[in-house]
Amino acid sequence: MAAVNAPPAAVRWHAQLNHLEQANLIRLASAVPDLAYLFRHALIHDSIYSTLVRADRRLLHRAAGEVLEALLAGREAPAELAPQLARHFEEAADH
């Protein structure tokens, strides 16, 4: 029932994540407190990342940085997130 009430984008993301997991490209890293997936191998990550058009990579990095910032709004960011935020916003910049 939860999927019926979920926004269409959330349903699509869930289906895509399931497809990638069934194809053995990613694995569930954690479900609590937040859902997180990891690529099964760095070469899979690198291969997929290299196929993205530069403009799409910038958009995805900007979105990831903005989502992390929104999730942390009003809270102190854990030290381990600082390099991730910096990388996402650096990669999102137009050089």
Side-chain angles (χ1 to χ4, degrees):
M1 272 299 184
V4 172
N5 296 325
V11 173
R12 281 193 308 273
W13 272 105
H14 184 69
Q16 291 169 345
L17 288 171
N18 280 338
H19 178 74
L20 292 171
E21 195 171 14
Q22 290 174 356
N24 240 3
L25 296 174
I26 62 173
R27 67 176 175 81
L28 182 64
S30 70
V32 177
D34 297 310
L35 191 60
Y37 286 87
L38 293 173
F39 286 99
R40 290 209 174 263
H41 196 282
L43 291 175
I44 294 171
H45 170 271
D46 293 347
S47 177
I48 292 170
Y49 188 81
S50 70
T51 65
L52 291 171
V53 176
R54 187 181 316 243
D56 290 341
R57 279 193 299 234
R58 282 197 298 262
L59 289 172
L60 290 170
H61 279 292
R62 181 170 312 284
E66 290 172 353
V67 166
L68 285 172
E69 278 188 328
L71 290 172
L72 296 169
R75 297 184 293 171
E76 186 173 331
E80 63 269 11
L81 280 185
Q84 290 178 19
L85 278 169
R87 178 174 178 262
H88 285 305
F89 285 119
E90 174 66 24
E91 293 290 338
D94 295 322
H95 296 287

